[in-house]
Amino acid sequence: MTLVTRQLKKAARVILIGAPGVGKGTQTERLLTRFPELASISSGDLLRENVRRKTSLGLKAETAMQAGNLVPDSLILDLISSEFKSKGWLAKSPGASISPTASFILDGFPRTSVQASSLDTLVPINFVVHLVTPPSIILSRIASRWVHEPSGRVYNTDFNAPKVPGKDDITGEPLTQREDDSLETWTQRLHKFEETSRALLEHYDRKGCLWRAEGNTSDEISPKLFAEIENRFC
Ligand code: AMP
């Protein structure tokens, strides 16, 4: 397959919002390949790095993260603005504005409309993508997922089936389904996303930068997303 890349003519400051299982990670990877000027900034990765290095921010965030709670907004804001500064995109002086060439995808941030409002004062986001796959499709994809626990190899009986049903291709050992892949857990996760994302989507809809990309698979969504970014930024 030939690798097609595109150059951005205008800075793209992008956020992807989508339910768990919708393929945000896949779309992010594909966007980074297609548009090499984009960088991805993940709040979860930055936090884990701070925890690992035992920075004062990491120590403050660790308890909330371990309990599965969101860390306080002020910490996240500090984290993101220092990342922008370390990339040379934001001058150190207070109130400085973002470099006009900085192009990035934010991953995991903002999570709430409060965070989105704070981000507006720091860096104006200019493209917010709502990735949509019907929940019934996400659930059936999860239900078809089987893993070989010892190696972590993942199969999907719909599009990446093992050669012998129920057996790992390499070792022939039995495949299992993850406990946290149960239908009940996933239904809850999807409901929670619906609830928490509503205010965030409304926030960006009011700003006029929200765009919806719908599809049953990542392969269906990617071409639409590429075309829209090319239209807006290339
Ligand atoms: P993630 O890798 O995005 O799932 O993030 C891992 C953990 O980091 C989350 O469970 C939260 O505790 C914390 N975290 C990441 N991003 C945020 C955010 N935007 N606001 C608050 N907490 C966050």
mmCIF file of all heavy atoms in Angstrom, residues 43-44 47-48 64-65 69-71 76 108-109 111 115, ligand 1:
data_model
loop_
_atom_site.group_PDB
_atom_site.id
_atom_site.type_symbol
_atom_site.label_atom_id
_atom_site.label_comp_id
_atom_site.label_asym_id
_atom_site.label_seq_id
_atom_site.Cartn_x
_atom_site.Cartn_y
_atom_site.Cartn_z
ATOM 1 N N SER A 43 -3.180 13.188 27.698
ATOM 2 C CA SER A 43 -3.108 13.586 29.114
ATOM 3 C C SER A 43 -2.795 12.372 29.986
ATOM 4 O O SER A 43 -2.021 12.471 30.937
ATOM 5 C CB SER A 43 -4.406 14.262 29.561
ATOM 6 O OG SER A 43 -5.519 13.455 29.262
ATOM 7 N N GLY A 44 -3.365 11.207 29.646
ATOM 8 C CA GLY A 44 -3.108 9.987 30.434
ATOM 9 C C GLY A 44 -1.627 9.616 30.392
ATOM 10 O O GLY A 44 -1.017 9.319 31.425
ATOM 11 N N LEU A 47 0.404 12.094 32.411
ATOM 12 C CA LEU A 47 0.228 11.854 33.850
ATOM 13 C C LEU A 47 1.041 10.639 34.293
ATOM 14 O O LEU A 47 1.744 10.688 35.302
ATOM 15 C CB LEU A 47 -1.253 11.630 34.174
ATOM 16 C CG LEU A 47 -2.118 12.884 34.255
ATOM 17 C CD1 LEU A 47 -3.591 12.520 34.316
ATOM 18 C CD2 LEU A 47 -1.738 13.732 35.462
ATOM 19 N N ARG A 48 0.933 9.544 33.523
ATOM 20 C CA ARG A 48 1.675 8.328 33.909
ATOM 21 C C ARG A 48 3.181 8.591 33.941
ATOM 22 O O ARG A 48 3.883 8.105 34.825
ATOM 23 C CB ARG A 48 1.342 7.173 32.942
ATOM 24 C CG ARG A 48 -0.002 6.512 33.276
ATOM 25 C CD ARG A 48 -0.299 5.319 32.394
ATOM 26 N NE ARG A 48 -0.676 5.702 31.054
ATOM 27 C CZ ARG A 48 -1.915 6.051 30.683
ATOM 28 N NH1 ARG A 48 -2.899 6.007 31.550
ATOM 29 N NH2 ARG A 48 -2.176 6.400 29.450
ATOM 30 N N ALA A 64 -5.689 9.933 42.844
ATOM 31 C CA ALA A 64 -6.926 9.991 42.052
ATOM 32 C C ALA A 64 -6.880 8.966 40.923
ATOM 33 O O ALA A 64 -7.867 8.267 40.659
ATOM 34 C CB ALA A 64 -7.115 11.390 41.476
ATOM 35 N N MET A 65 -5.730 8.846 40.282
ATOM 36 C CA MET A 65 -5.626 7.910 39.149
ATOM 37 C C MET A 65 -5.812 6.472 39.615
ATOM 38 O O MET A 65 -6.521 5.693 38.974
ATOM 39 C CB MET A 65 -4.271 8.068 38.458
ATOM 40 C CG MET A 65 -4.150 9.359 37.698
ATOM 41 S SD MET A 65 -2.521 9.592 37.029
ATOM 42 C CE MET A 65 -2.515 8.402 35.677
ATOM 43 N N ASN A 69 -10.427 7.902 39.509
ATOM 44 C CA ASN A 69 -11.128 9.195 39.438
ATOM 45 C C ASN A 69 -10.371 10.163 38.536
ATOM 46 O O ASN A 69 -9.195 9.960 38.246
ATOM 47 C CB ASN A 69 -11.219 9.820 40.838
ATOM 48 C CG ASN A 69 -12.069 8.972 41.751
ATOM 49 O OD1 ASN A 69 -13.028 8.342 41.302
ATOM 50 N ND2 ASN A 69 -11.709 8.929 43.026
ATOM 51 N N LEU A 70 -11.078 11.224 38.149
ATOM 52 C CA LEU A 70 -10.393 12.257 37.377
ATOM 53 C C LEU A 70 -9.486 13.043 38.314
ATOM 54 O O LEU A 70 -9.827 13.249 39.474
ATOM 55 C CB LEU A 70 -11.411 13.211 36.735
ATOM 56 C CG LEU A 70 -12.279 12.631 35.632
ATOM 57 C CD1 LEU A 70 -13.169 13.714 35.027
ATOM 58 C CD2 LEU A 70 -11.445 11.967 34.539
ATOM 59 N N VAL A 71 -8.340 13.476 37.819
ATOM 60 C CA VAL A 71 -7.471 14.311 38.648
ATOM 61 C C VAL A 71 -7.997 15.748 38.566
ATOM 62 O O VAL A 71 -8.696 16.098 37.621
ATOM 63 C CB VAL A 71 -5.980 14.204 38.233
ATOM 64 C CG1 VAL A 71 -5.533 12.766 38.078
ATOM 65 C CG2 VAL A 71 -5.713 14.946 36.954
ATOM 66 N N ILE A 76 -4.410 19.223 35.624
ATOM 67 C CA ILE A 76 -4.416 18.866 34.210
ATOM 68 C C ILE A 76 -4.054 20.087 33.356
ATOM 69 O O ILE A 76 -3.283 19.992 32.414
ATOM 70 C CB ILE A 76 -5.818 18.343 33.802
ATOM 71 C CG1 ILE A 76 -6.055 16.984 34.413
ATOM 72 C CG2 ILE A 76 -5.992 18.273 32.315
ATOM 73 C CD1 ILE A 76 -5.330 15.884 33.668
ATOM 74 N N GLY A 108 -7.651 12.483 25.402
ATOM 75 C CA GLY A 108 -8.003 12.349 26.825
ATOM 76 C C GLY A 108 -8.260 13.682 27.509
ATOM 77 O O GLY A 108 -8.570 13.722 28.695
ATOM 78 N N PHE A 109 -8.100 14.752 26.795
ATOM 79 C CA PHE A 109 -8.285 16.093 27.352
ATOM 80 C C PHE A 109 -8.871 16.988 26.273
ATOM 81 O O PHE A 109 -8.434 16.910 25.134
ATOM 82 C CB PHE A 109 -6.937 16.650 27.823
ATOM 83 C CG PHE A 109 -7.039 18.064 28.312
ATOM 84 C CD1 PHE A 109 -7.449 18.328 29.605
ATOM 85 C CD2 PHE A 109 -6.753 19.134 27.461
ATOM 86 C CE1 PHE A 109 -7.573 19.637 30.052
ATOM 87 C CE2 PHE A 109 -6.880 20.437 27.900
ATOM 88 C CZ PHE A 109 -7.286 20.686 29.200
ATOM 89 N N ARG A 111 -11.860 16.505 29.249
ATOM 90 C CA ARG A 111 -12.828 15.462 29.568
ATOM 91 C C ARG A 111 -14.161 16.067 30.016
ATOM 92 O O ARG A 111 -15.167 15.390 30.034
ATOM 93 C CB ARG A 111 -12.330 14.594 30.735
ATOM 94 C CG ARG A 111 -11.225 13.621 30.438
ATOM 95 C CD ARG A 111 -11.756 12.218 30.261
ATOM 96 N NE ARG A 111 -11.037 11.125 30.890
ATOM 97 C CZ ARG A 111 -9.861 10.614 30.544
ATOM 98 N NH1 ARG A 111 -9.165 11.156 29.604
ATOM 99 N NH2 ARG A 111 -9.364 9.555 31.153
ATOM 100 N N GLN A 115 -13.091 21.848 31.841
ATOM 101 C CA GLN A 115 -11.744 21.775 31.250
ATOM 102 C C GLN A 115 -11.741 22.419 29.863
ATOM 103 O O GLN A 115 -10.786 23.094 29.480
ATOM 104 C CB GLN A 115 -11.284 20.319 31.136
ATOM 105 C CG GLN A 115 -10.970 19.668 32.474
ATOM 106 C CD GLN A 115 -10.458 18.246 32.341
ATOM 107 O OE1 GLN A 115 -10.346 17.700 31.252
ATOM 108 N NE2 GLN A 115 -10.157 17.624 33.471
HETATM 109 P P1 AMP B 1 -6.434 7.738 30.217
HETATM 110 O O1 AMP B 1 -5.146 7.079 29.812
HETATM 111 O O2 AMP B 1 -6.827 8.853 29.285
HETATM 112 O O3 AMP B 1 -7.549 6.766 30.442
HETATM 113 O O4 AMP B 1 -6.169 8.433 31.629
HETATM 114 C C1 AMP B 1 -5.760 7.697 32.760
HETATM 115 C C2 AMP B 1 -6.163 8.435 34.032
HETATM 116 O O5 AMP B 1 -5.549 9.732 34.048
HETATM 117 C C3 AMP B 1 -7.654 8.721 34.148
HETATM 118 O O6 AMP B 1 -8.342 7.646 34.713
HETATM 119 C C4 AMP B 1 -7.665 9.936 35.060
HETATM 120 O O7 AMP B 1 -7.424 9.581 36.404
HETATM 121 C C5 AMP B 1 -6.439 10.702 34.587
HETATM 122 N N1 AMP B 1 -6.783 11.671 33.510
HETATM 123 C C6 AMP B 1 -6.401 11.620 32.194
HETATM 124 N N2 AMP B 1 -6.889 12.675 31.513
HETATM 125 C C7 AMP B 1 -7.604 13.402 32.405
HETATM 126 C C8 AMP B 1 -8.370 14.604 32.317
HETATM 127 N N3 AMP B 1 -8.510 15.270 31.160
HETATM 128 N N4 AMP B 1 -8.966 15.072 33.450
HETATM 129 C C9 AMP B 1 -8.835 14.439 34.624
HETATM 130 N N5 AMP B 1 -8.148 13.288 34.771
HETATM 131 C C10 AMP B 1 -7.520 12.767 33.686
#
